[in-house]
Amino acid sequence: MASREYKRGKKPVIHSSQVYNYLTCPAMKRLSELIPTEPSKAMTDGLIIERMVFGDKDNLLPELLKGKKENTIAEYQRKADKIKPYFNGGEAFKKIEFSARLFDAVLVGEVDYFTDSILYDLKVSSSHKYWEMRNTKTEFLQAIFYPYILSLKDNLNNRDYTPREFHYVVFAQDTELVKTYVCKPDQIEKHFQWIEGVVDEIINEPFFSAYPDEQRCLQQTYGVCNYLDNCKEAQEFFNHLTKEVQIG
């Protein structure tokens, strides 16, 4: 897979995934830029279906499908065909970015499907259960970060900011049903000051230390932290971890 851009000249390039990693554990942000990780099967499934829905933006689909049986590929296509009707009249894989003196950095994003009134993000999930429990600004980070970039661009160009809804279109593998989770502009914009503070902290206070504990390291959204083996602080923490047990 193509490597991600993290520097443009002397300026750092900030993606939503780096912000998410930083909020989870600052060391994750640092390590994610140094250590490539292989996508899990669930992530690969999502990448395949996404490209079948929106188009093969980076000619990666043949590589993702390499070695897969014809009936498996047909299943991917069948699922993609169920999702396609949810997207009409927009632009797939719309790249957005902002670079100005406000931040000594470049803020970038890629909207899965961009329209004048709605930004869409397609998610392929094992079920809707996890999405039903989401309610924090970190869990809906893209819904805040992408409109924030667009608001900065509008302000820079002396245009009125155009509020847009952000829709997470979630396809659940267990039921093969689609649910759309809608973030309204008022719910998005009230967190602009928060995301500005986080970005400023990443750029101007770049101390990406680890804060290891069992939940942060072992119980992330998809399980164990991808960088656990490479995190010296975490290894030190767990090598010296002792627990008193109660025997019933």
Side-chain angles (χ1 to χ4, degrees), residues 26-72:
M28 282 183 63
K29 190 266 182 192
R30 170 173 52 84
L31 292 170
S32 69
E33 297 171 12
L34 300 173
I35 303 166
T37 58
E38 290 297 320
S40 64
K41 182 184 182 303
M43 290 174 63
T44 300
D45 287 348
L47 291 171
I48 290 170
I49 292 173
E50 181 182 72
R51 281 158 178 75
M52 287 183 168
V53 171
F54 298 124
D56 191 17
K57 61 173 180 174
D58 44 17
N59 299 313
L60 187 61
L61 192 55
E63 180 183 337
L64 292 169
L65 293 174
K66 189 179 297 183
K68 297 193 182 296
K69 297 179 180 178
E70 286 188 14
N71 62 337
T72 301

XYZ file of all heavy atoms in Angstrom, residues 26-72:
366
model
N -0.320 9.479 23.077
C 0.585 10.257 22.224
C 1.652 9.419 21.518
O 2.042 9.729 20.388
C 1.213 11.248 23.207
C 0.165 11.441 24.250
C -0.480 10.085 24.415
N 2.119 8.349 22.171
C 3.137 7.507 21.536
C 2.605 6.830 20.281
O 3.366 6.540 19.354
C 3.645 6.461 22.521
N 1.295 6.564 20.227
C 0.713 5.943 19.041
C 0.872 6.851 17.827
O 1.118 6.372 16.715
C -0.762 5.632 19.260
C -1.033 4.391 20.086
S -2.805 4.071 20.224
C -3.256 3.788 18.520
N 0.722 8.147 18.039
C 0.890 9.092 16.934
C 2.306 9.007 16.390
O 2.525 8.924 15.179
C 0.540 10.497 17.426
C 0.441 11.541 16.325
C 1.747 12.281 16.139
C 1.625 13.355 15.061
N 2.935 13.902 14.665
N 3.294 9.022 17.292
C 4.707 8.972 16.884
C 5.040 7.642 16.216
O 5.640 7.614 15.132
C 5.587 9.183 18.120
C 7.067 8.912 17.910
C 7.883 9.316 19.123
N 7.384 8.749 20.357
C 7.692 7.524 20.800
N 8.483 6.739 20.089
N 7.214 7.079 21.949
N 4.636 6.544 16.821
C 4.993 5.221 16.303
C 4.290 4.910 14.986
O 4.848 4.217 14.125
C 4.672 4.146 17.343
C 5.539 4.187 18.605
C 4.982 3.255 19.673
C 6.987 3.825 18.285
N 3.070 5.430 14.806
C 2.330 5.148 13.573
C 3.025 5.741 12.350
O 2.844 5.257 11.231
C 0.907 5.699 13.674
O 0.903 7.116 13.669
N 3.835 6.782 12.555
C 4.551 7.406 11.446
C 5.870 6.703 11.133
O 6.464 6.943 10.086
C 4.799 8.881 11.774
C 3.517 9.676 11.931
C 3.749 11.076 12.469
O 4.923 11.512 12.505
O 2.770 11.735 12.863
N 6.292 5.841 12.039
C 7.579 5.159 11.874
C 7.427 3.696 11.495
O 8.306 3.127 10.831
C 8.376 5.251 13.188
C 8.710 6.652 13.705
C 9.354 6.564 15.086
C 9.632 7.374 12.727
N 6.333 3.083 11.923
C 6.181 1.636 11.791
C 4.952 1.316 10.954
O 3.821 1.559 11.395
C 6.059 0.974 13.176
C 7.276 1.317 14.035
C 5.903 -0.537 13.045
C 7.098 1.002 15.495
N 5.133 0.780 9.746
C 3.969 0.389 8.941
C 3.300 -0.844 9.541
O 3.970 -1.736 10.074
C 4.576 0.078 7.568
C 6.001 -0.282 7.859
C 6.407 0.517 9.059
N 1.985 -0.879 9.493
C 1.245 -2.038 9.989
C 0.428 -2.652 8.861
O -0.053 -1.940 7.975
C 0.307 -1.646 11.146
O -0.592 -0.634 10.685
C 1.091 -1.128 12.338
N 0.276 -3.965 8.909
C -0.518 -4.656 7.910
C -1.996 -4.544 8.270
O -2.368 -4.681 9.438
C -0.120 -6.137 7.848
C 1.256 -6.392 7.259
C 1.349 -5.958 5.808
O 0.369 -6.180 5.053
O 2.369 -5.371 5.422
N -2.867 -4.254 7.292
C -4.296 -4.171 7.600
C -4.847 -5.524 8.018
O -4.430 -6.564 7.502
C -4.916 -3.688 6.284
C -3.940 -4.078 5.229
C -2.589 -4.011 5.869
N -5.765 -5.516 8.954
C -6.432 -6.738 9.379
C -7.390 -7.196 8.282
O -7.654 -6.458 7.316
C -7.215 -6.498 10.668
O -8.254 -5.563 10.420
N -7.948 -8.399 8.430
C -8.914 -8.883 7.441
C -10.118 -7.951 7.370
O -10.620 -7.645 6.286
C -9.385 -10.293 7.783
C -10.357 -10.860 6.755
C -10.893 -12.204 7.150
C -11.833 -12.747 6.053
N -12.968 -11.839 5.751
N -10.576 -7.481 8.531
C -11.734 -6.582 8.542
C -11.420 -5.290 7.788
O -12.258 -4.783 7.031
C -12.135 -6.274 9.980
N -10.208 -4.762 7.972
C -9.814 -3.546 7.270
C -9.702 -3.794 5.768
O -10.118 -2.963 4.958
C -8.487 -3.033 7.818
C -8.570 -2.474 9.227
S -6.948 -2.027 9.896
C -6.466 -0.722 8.764
N -9.150 -4.945 5.391
C -9.026 -5.294 3.976
C -10.396 -5.428 3.332
O -10.628 -4.943 2.219
C -8.228 -6.593 3.810
O -6.918 -6.422 4.359
C -8.106 -6.973 2.337
N -11.321 -6.067 4.034
C -12.695 -6.192 3.522
C -13.278 -4.809 3.262
O -13.915 -4.568 2.229
C -13.576 -6.941 4.523
C -13.270 -8.435 4.578
O -12.550 -8.927 3.694
O -13.768 -9.095 5.507
N -13.052 -3.896 4.207
C -13.565 -2.544 4.056
C -12.962 -1.823 2.869
O -13.659 -1.135 2.120
N -11.644 -1.984 2.682
C -10.963 -1.337 1.558
C -11.478 -1.862 0.217
O -11.658 -1.102 -0.740
C -9.453 -1.569 1.659
C -8.724 -0.866 2.808
C -7.290 -1.368 2.908
C -8.748 0.648 2.618
N -11.717 -3.165 0.155
C -12.209 -3.773 -1.087
C -13.606 -3.269 -1.413
O -13.893 -2.816 -2.540
C -12.189 -5.310 -0.977
C -10.750 -5.829 -0.966
C -12.978 -5.946 -2.134
C -10.619 -7.300 -0.627
N -14.503 -3.349 -0.437
C -15.884 -2.934 -0.671
C -15.955 -1.445 -0.997
O -16.694 -1.018 -1.887
C -16.756 -3.291 0.554
C -16.887 -4.815 0.676
C -18.138 -2.651 0.447
C -17.570 -5.287 1.941
N -15.149 -0.649 -0.294
C -15.114 0.799 -0.548
C -14.765 1.087 -2.001
O -15.392 1.926 -2.649
C -14.077 1.429 0.379
C -13.942 2.920 0.268
C -12.849 3.458 1.180
O -11.654 3.228 0.863
O -13.156 4.065 2.204
N -13.766 0.402 -2.537
C -13.339 0.637 -3.916
C -14.353 0.101 -4.919
O -14.468 0.637 -6.030
C -11.953 0.030 -4.142
C -10.852 0.925 -3.576
C -9.563 0.179 -3.299
N -8.542 1.103 -2.805
C -8.521 1.608 -1.573
N -9.463 1.275 -0.709
N -7.574 2.439 -1.203
N -15.077 -0.932 -4.557
C -16.129 -1.444 -5.432
C -17.334 -0.504 -5.455
O -18.068 -0.453 -6.440
C -16.546 -2.842 -4.996
C -15.522 -3.916 -5.316
S -16.100 -5.579 -4.866
C -14.862 -6.601 -5.679
N -17.521 0.240 -4.378
C -18.627 1.201 -4.308
C -18.266 2.492 -5.036
O -19.027 2.999 -5.855
C -19.005 1.503 -2.839
C -19.996 2.676 -2.767
C -19.594 0.273 -2.165
N -17.084 3.036 -4.747
C -16.719 4.376 -5.215
C -15.773 4.391 -6.413
O -15.594 5.429 -7.052
C -16.052 5.163 -4.077
C -16.938 5.395 -2.886
C -16.532 4.988 -1.633
C -18.163 6.018 -3.028
C -17.337 5.211 -0.521
C -18.980 6.246 -1.932
C -18.567 5.838 -0.672
N -15.120 3.267 -6.705
C -14.120 3.245 -7.762
C -12.739 2.997 -7.180
O -12.467 3.304 -6.019
N -11.857 2.438 -7.991
C -10.521 2.058 -7.538
C -9.579 3.254 -7.669
O -8.808 3.374 -8.625
C -10.017 0.872 -8.359
C -8.750 0.262 -7.778
O -8.443 0.537 -6.601
O -8.080 -0.493 -8.501
N -9.620 4.151 -6.674
C -8.945 5.447 -6.742
C -7.441 5.344 -6.951
O -6.822 6.208 -7.548
C -9.213 6.238 -5.461
C -8.700 5.538 -4.206
C -8.815 6.404 -2.982
C -8.307 5.677 -1.747
N -8.271 6.532 -0.561
N -6.825 4.293 -6.410
C -5.365 4.196 -6.419
C -4.860 2.918 -7.074
O -3.723 2.511 -6.878
C -4.831 4.281 -4.986
C -5.646 3.422 -4.026
O -6.397 2.540 -4.508
O -5.552 3.633 -2.808
N -5.751 2.272 -7.870
C -5.389 1.024 -8.559
C -4.894 -0.047 -7.592
O -4.050 -0.876 -7.939
C -4.325 1.290 -9.636
C -4.807 2.254 -10.701
O -5.898 2.114 -11.223
N -3.993 3.256 -11.008
N -5.451 -0.024 -6.380
C -5.042 -0.972 -5.352
C -5.904 -2.235 -5.342
O -5.510 -3.262 -4.793
C -5.108 -0.299 -3.981
C -4.562 -1.058 -2.768
C -3.076 -1.348 -2.941
C -4.796 -0.258 -1.493
N -7.078 -2.162 -5.982
C -8.023 -3.272 -5.910
C -7.450 -4.604 -6.408
O -7.638 -5.638 -5.747
C -9.302 -2.919 -6.668
C -10.506 -3.846 -6.449
C -10.845 -3.973 -4.978
C -11.713 -3.331 -7.236
N -6.734 -4.642 -7.545
C -6.178 -5.930 -7.982
C -5.266 -6.563 -6.931
O -5.287 -7.779 -6.725
C -5.406 -5.573 -9.253
C -6.097 -4.348 -9.772
C -6.498 -3.585 -8.547
N -4.467 -5.731 -6.252
C -3.583 -6.253 -5.214
C -4.382 -6.779 -4.024
O -4.064 -7.836 -3.461
C -2.632 -5.153 -4.745
C -1.649 -5.590 -3.660
C -0.778 -4.446 -3.176
O -0.611 -3.465 -3.920
O -0.268 -4.537 -2.044
N -5.441 -6.051 -3.647
C -6.270 -6.475 -2.517
C -7.008 -7.779 -2.817
O -7.284 -8.569 -1.904
C -7.280 -5.381 -2.174
C -6.719 -4.083 -1.592
C -7.786 -3.006 -1.551
C -6.143 -4.314 -0.200
N -7.328 -7.995 -4.104
C -8.082 -9.187 -4.493
C -7.183 -10.358 -4.885
O -7.686 -11.451 -5.160
C -9.012 -8.852 -5.668
C -10.171 -7.889 -5.363
C -10.912 -7.538 -6.640
C -11.120 -8.495 -4.334
N -5.890 -10.126 -4.894
C -4.954 -11.166 -5.334
C -5.111 -12.427 -4.477
O -5.099 -12.378 -3.243
C -3.522 -10.655 -5.235
C -2.483 -11.578 -5.876
C -1.084 -10.980 -5.743
C -0.966 -9.663 -6.491
N 0.419 -9.117 -6.413
N -5.270 -13.576 -5.139
C -5.362 -14.855 -4.446
C -6.749 -15.199 -3.934
O -6.954 -16.292 -3.386
N -7.718 -14.305 -4.097
C -9.072 -14.577 -3.606
C -9.872 -15.334 -4.667
O -9.722 -15.095 -5.868
C -9.773 -13.277 -3.220
C -9.076 -12.555 -2.070
C -9.923 -11.453 -1.497
C -9.186 -10.718 -0.373
N -8.913 -11.590 0.763
N -10.735 -16.227 -4.224
C -11.534 -17.048 -5.129
C -12.623 -16.216 -5.785
O -13.053 -15.192 -5.267
C -12.152 -18.214 -4.364
C -11.126 -19.174 -3.773
C -11.806 -20.292 -3.002
C -10.780 -21.264 -2.408
N -11.427 -22.336 -1.616
N -13.091 -16.714 -6.934
C -14.100 -15.976 -7.697
C -15.375 -15.769 -6.902
O -15.977 -14.689 -6.960
C -14.412 -16.722 -9.008
C -13.311 -16.615 -10.060
C -13.748 -17.209 -11.392
O -14.966 -17.445 -11.567
O -12.866 -17.428 -12.234
N -15.791 -16.788 -6.141
C -17.033 -16.628 -5.381
C -16.871 -15.622 -4.239
O -17.807 -14.920 -3.866
C -17.536 -17.976 -4.856
C -16.571 -18.642 -3.899
O -15.376 -18.358 -3.914
N -17.074 -19.535 -3.070
N -15.641 -15.516 -3.686
C -15.370 -14.516 -2.645
C -15.450 -13.115 -3.233
O -16.039 -12.211 -2.629
C -13.975 -14.746 -2.036
O -13.912 -16.055 -1.478
C -13.684 -13.721 -0.944
